[in-house]
Amino acid sequence: CLVCGEPNKLRLYERYKDYTIFECQYCGLQFSDPRKMSENNYNEAYKGLNSIGQYEYANKMRTISETVSSIDESASLSYERWALRWLRNHIRKGSVIFDLGCGNGRMLALTKDDFDVLGMDVAQEPVDYLKSQGFKVKVGSIESYPADWPAPKAVLMLEVLEHLPEPIEVLKKVKEMFHQAVLIISVHSHRRWTLRNKQREETDYPP
């Protein structure tokens, strides 16, 4: 297992196109074989999503996050609301927040009023659009973090690890580069209701 290291606890969970998905019966991790990522796949996935609608949605989510009494009241994007609340409660306003794997910028839009937000993603199209909206973003991976960008107080990796061929190595690199920053991570739960009904989301399949 990639996470817990158990050698004899893997079982075949599912096959998808050229991929075999395994599950560790010890820690619950699911991963694909082969483990690979293509930037072209992400550019295709985000194609056409660079519209203002996502920011209207983000503004709505910001309002919800300030009014709901429990983060469990709605399952939709609950990890984003939880992360926003944690940041507001523990990180000084105006501090630098780095969203690694920022995608179409929902979290950047949610946090921009409270923090100095930076973003990075491997997909060119959403990054270009985010730049046009005034966000400080860059195409690349953790190794290409610009030298002239300030060190962040918090690093976000929301729904990112499951897409990385070598997630442990990326986490080690984040720790090495930003050892004083708080790292906030979310991944899909292997106990979520869609998987219980054998209906994995299309975006949860490799690559």
Side-chain angles (χ1 to χ4, degrees), residues 69-193:
S69 59
S70 168
I71 62 172
D72 296 324
E73 286 191 19
S74 172
S76 176
L77 299 180
S78 60
Y79 63 88
E80 291 179 340
R81 294 199 301 278
W82 180 90
L84 179 59
R85 288 183 178 182
W86 194 96
L87 290 169
R88 285 174 170 171
N89 289 331
H90 296 88
I91 303 296
R92 187 185 299 274
K93 188 170 184 177
S95 297
V96 175
I97 305 298
F98 174 44
D99 189 359
L100 178 57
C102 62
N104 58 18
R106 286 199 310 264
M107 202 61 195
L108 296 178
L110 282 167
T111 53
K112 69 182 178 66
D113 291 342
D114 298 295
F115 304 102
D116 182 6
V117 294
L118 308 172
M120 186 173 289
D121 201 272
V122 297
Q124 183 72 54
E125 187 165 339
V127 166
D128 288 343
Y129 182 70
L130 289 167
K131 286 182 177 179
S132 75
Q133 298 300 305
F135 289 99
K136 194 171 184 177
V137 291
K138 176 181 172 59
V139 173
S141 57
I142 184 64
E143 292 84 358
S144 55
Y145 190 88
D148 60 344
W149 280 13
K153 293 295 184 181
V155 178
L156 307 181
M157 296 182 68
L158 306 181
E159 313 296 283
V160 171
L161 282 184
E162 65 267 30
H163 300 287
L164 302 177
E166 300 295 341
I168 302 299
E169 294 306 312
V170 173
L171 288 176
K172 288 180 179 178
K173 190 65 177 178
V174 170
K175 182 179 180 181
E176 174 190 329
M177 293 178 63
F178 310 120
H179 59 278
Q180 293 185 328
V182 174
L183 177 59
I184 300 178
I185 298 172
S186 73
V187 294
H188 286 311
S189 171
H190 65 289
R191 296 188 178 93
R192 65 191 185 278
W193 70 269

Side-chain angles (χ1 to χ4, degrees), residues 8-25:
N8 301 312
K9 295 292 185 178
L10 300 182
R11 73 178 181 93
L12 174 63
Y13 185 86
E14 189 177 359
R15 296 188 188 277
Y16 175 75
K17 295 184 179 178
D18 297 329
Y19 298 88
T20 302
I21 298 175
F22 294 98
E23 181 179 67
C24 176
Q25 295 177 284

